[in-house]
Amino acid sequence: MEDNPLPSFIKSGIYQLNLTAVFIDPVRLLNRSYTRFRVSPSTYYSRFFDSTNSTQSTNSTQSPKASEDSRKRKRKQKKKNKVQSLNEREQIADRRHQEVKPFLLKAHEALLEATDILKVLRNLRNDGCVVRECKELSKESSELSLMELGGVWQAPMYEIVLNYYHDDKTFQNEGFPLAHSIEQRVTPVFNNLVANEGNDDIEAELFNHKYIIPKRSCFYMSDLQQIDSLIPADSDCGFNLIVIDPPWENGSARQKVRYPTLPNRYFLSLPVKELCHTSGALLALWVTNREKLRDFVENDLFPKWGVTYAASFYWLKVKANGILTGELDLFHHRPYECLLLGYCKGKVGLSHALELPLLKRILFFTSPCLLQDTHSGKLARMNPIPDNRVFISVPGDYSRKPPIGELLLDYVPGPIPARCVELFAREMIAGWTSWGNEPLHFQDSRYFVSKTTEN
């Protein structure tokens, strides 16, 4: 570990707390994907940064650890005389929780002892954001419903405009540089691989809404019935890191009415094996803490996908003052989520190409490898994947997961750079393919500020 990891954190967004735990700033991680724009901290951190509470926690003489201990004592007092009986599945879930609890507590303790990162943490929401600018961003018009738009019969005819801004030095008029040089490309937005192959992020337009597309990235926006179009004809153009954040069916999502969920059986049809690179792939699956779901994943989903379980990582959620977002032992609302990791063996894919319709063959003989050097000649030297690793962050919007690809690259098999895909994606990252029915959700320009105007 570094003697002073703070300068590295300011640059990378990753702060090593100890050998098994890190603190991450998703905004810093995401902004490594952009050159002309940056993710606005004020819009990313839409929760857990209440101005009144933040001021109180900053000025309070009580430390975050003391505050949390006080809160625990109050909750224990309330539950002192309450006996809670658990059914068989809940007992298994509780045993899992008790096994991982020491790792979570150790990670959180390391964060509370890292006074330098705690100071940064309190100001994450205002980091580099002008106060007036932050207020304007929060009041902009509502988002375009991509799911509704993709569900109408006209969807295949809808097009997105990609605006490529070129350096003025490249385009001159009689020796004088032009003020603005923009190249526009128009392409179908649904059931089509839309790619930004350049080294700069670009601005896209769809029905008077603007979206920011990261450098060297692409998205395929469709429903689950069209996911087979993402399968590469040649597995050498497959993916060796696959992150999946399924819209699991659960009461919380229904109550929030934020996005539609799917029954578990629907995920059995995901073509994970066919998406894998010839060298195999590391698969990272977000799951809830429900034991019924864990049982389904271990006994049905992973076997169906051909995935062998390897390890579990945990995302521990904290507020702006460093305390947990909820009581650690509160059974149905624990302040952490689990990321299950496993390996999938590669599959020779050339023969699969002959089974695809002609249009898909043409598309995927050319598109899946657009964003990667397929002849780098370098293979990843895979490190043993540790179990029970903890990463801590302040949560963003509801159901928005932090970008964890950087934390997984050391364990990815196959070529370098890794070919990465996220399924059921709601945002994009440089060098990644994003698939889902709303991969542009968090690419809406209202979540961004222009680097040229942020000061």
Side-chain angles (χ1 to χ4, degrees):
M1 287 179 58
E2 301 176 60
D3 293 333
N4 181 16
L6 190 60
S8 176
F9 166 78
I10 298 300
K11 205 172 181 181
S12 69
I14 301 174
Y15 186 100
Q16 194 75 41
L17 294 168
N18 55 40
L19 294 176
T20 60
V22 296
F23 175 82
I24 62 174
D25 175 15
V27 172
R28 281 184 168 85
L29 282 166
L30 288 171
N31 280 332
R32 293 163 65 177
S33 296
Y34 301 95
T35 55
R36 298 181 58 251
F37 296 88
R38 66 193 295 268
V39 176
S40 168
S42 67
T43 54
Y44 185 93
Y45 293 116
S46 57
R47 306 183 295 162
F48 306 113
F49 271 88
D50 180 77
S51 57
T52 304
N53 293 337
S54 180
T55 303
Q56 289 176 350
S57 65
T58 303
N59 297 331
S60 174
T61 56
Q62 192 177 34
S63 70
K65 191 175 191 309
S67 175
E68 185 180 20
D69 290 341
S70 174
R71 195 160 55 90
K72 284 182 179 180
R73 285 195 297 271
K74 290 179 181 179
R75 191 176 294 277
K76 284 180 180 179
Q77 187 65 32
K78 288 181 181 179
K79 292 187 175 182
K80 190 173 181 181
N81 299 320
K82 185 177 179 180
V83 179
Q84 184 180 19
S85 58
L86 302 177
N87 62 37
E88 185 177 352
R89 273 190 176 143
E90 289 174 334
Q91 290 175 14
I92 296 173
D94 188 61
R95 285 198 293 270
R96 288 187 193 271
H97 169 69
Q98 296 303 328
E99 289 173 2
V100 72
K101 184 177 176 180
F103 297 97
L104 298 171
L105 289 174
K106 185 177 180 180
H108 189 225
E109 183 180 349
L111 172 66
L112 297 180
E113 291 174 352
T115 55
D116 53 349
I117 200 65
L118 284 177
K119 292 178 183 178
V120 174
L121 194 157
R122 294 189 184 102
N123 295 308
L124 282 181
R125 192 173 192 274
N126 299 318
D127 190 9
C129 183
V130 179
V131 175
R132 175 183 59 80
E133 184 179 65
C134 296
K135 290 181 179 178
E136 288 175 354
L137 284 169
S138 64
K139 291 181 180 179
E140 285 194 19
S141 60
S142 60
E143 298 173 3
L144 185 66
S145 176
L146 298 168
M147 285 187 289
E148 289 183 10
L149 201 63
V152 301
W153 67 269
Q154 302 99 322
M157 296 181 284
Y158 293 148
E159 295 179 323
I160 190 169
V161 179
L162 308 178
N163 296 310
Y164 293 84
Y165 291 79
H166 296 285
D167 193 336
D168 288 336
K169 294 179 182 178
T170 307
F171 294 83
Q172 294 188 347
N173 184 9
E174 296 180 354
F176 296 95
L178 297 174
H180 299 286
S181 301
I182 303 175
E183 177 189 354
Q184 289 191 331
R185 298 179 190 173
V186 181
T187 186
V189 68
F190 292 105
N191 304 328
N192 179 43
L193 192 73
V194 181
N196 173 17
E197 304 166 46
N199 292 319
D200 292 304
D201 38 292
I202 62 173
E203 197 172 45
E205 297 177 42
L206 177 65
F207 286 98
N208 297 321
H209 285 255
K210 293 183 178 180
Y211 299 89
I212 310 304
I213 311 299
K215 59 186 177 182
R216 298 184 63 78
S217 67
C218 61
F219 71 87
Y220 195 100
M221 188 152 56
S222 75
D223 59 24
L224 191 58
Q225 294 178 336
Q226 301 295 325
I227 192 173
D228 283 352
S229 297
L230 198 65
I231 299 172
D234 184 352
S235 60
D236 281 340
C237 289
F239 303 99
N240 50 340
L241 174 56
I242 303 173
V243 175
I244 309 178
D245 183 19
W248 300 115
E249 198 169 35
N250 65 79
S252 176
R254 285 198 298 269
Q255 291 168 9
K256 297 288 183 179
V257 197
R258 298 298 182 106
Y259 58 85
T261 59
L262 290 173
N264 291 347
R265 66 180 184 276
Y266 280 64
F267 305 117
L268 292 167
S269 64
L270 289 178
V272 171
K273 290 180 184 177
E274 291 78 7
L275 290 172
C276 284
H277 187 271
T278 307
S279 302
L282 172 66
L283 180 132
L285 177 69
W286 286 101
V287 295
T288 67
N289 292 317
R290 292 167 57 238
E291 185 57 30
K292 183 179 180 180
L293 177 59
R294 290 290 293 269
D295 182 71
F296 168 73
V297 170
E298 293 175 1
N299 296 312
D300 297 296
L301 198 59
F302 271 12
K304 175 68 174 178
W305 288 350
V307 173
T308 302
Y309 170 80
S312 296
F313 282 13
Y314 295 90
W315 172 31
L316 188 61
K317 308 172 190 179
V318 297
K319 298 181 180 180
N321 58 3
I323 68 172
L324 300 178
T325 59
E327 171 61 51
L328 190 59
D329 288 320
L330 191 60
F331 192 83
H332 292 291
H333 299 282
R334 286 173 176 151
Y336 66 89
E337 294 188 43
C338 181
L339 186 70
L340 297 181
L341 304 174
Y343 287 103
C344 183
K345 292 183 179 179
K347 177 181 178 182
V348 177
L350 282 173
S351 60
H352 173 72
L354 302 177
E355 301 171 8
L356 292 174
L358 179 60
L359 285 177
K360 292 183 181 179
R361 264 186 269 169
I362 296 173
L363 174 63
F364 287 102
F365 265 123
T366 58
S367 59
C369 296
L370 274 177
L371 306 177
Q372 304 289 351
D373 178 8
T374 59
H375 303 288
S376 64
K378 296 181 180 178
L379 290 177
R381 190 167 63 185
M382 217 169 49
N383 295 323
I385 190 164
D387 199 12
N388 297 318
R389 192 176 185 191
V390 180
F391 50 96
I392 305 175
S393 78
V394 179
D397 200 0
Y398 177 77
S399 81
R400 188 176 190 178
K401 303 298 192 297
I404 43 80
E406 189 79 14
L407 304 178
L408 302 176
L409 290 180
D410 287 342
Y411 318 113
V412 174
I416 299 174
R419 301 190 182 94
C420 311
V421 64
E422 182 176 5
L423 306 184
F424 302 102
R426 302 176 75 206
E427 67 185 338
M428 301 176 66
I429 300 174
W432 284 62
T433 297
S434 301
W435 173 86
N437 57 11
E438 51 174 358
L440 295 180
H441 180 84
F442 289 116
Q443 300 307 126
D444 192 302
S445 62
R446 71 196 194 108
Y447 294 105
F448 293 81
V449 290
S450 172
K451 285 188 176 182
T452 58
T453 61
E454 63 186 18
N455 295 323

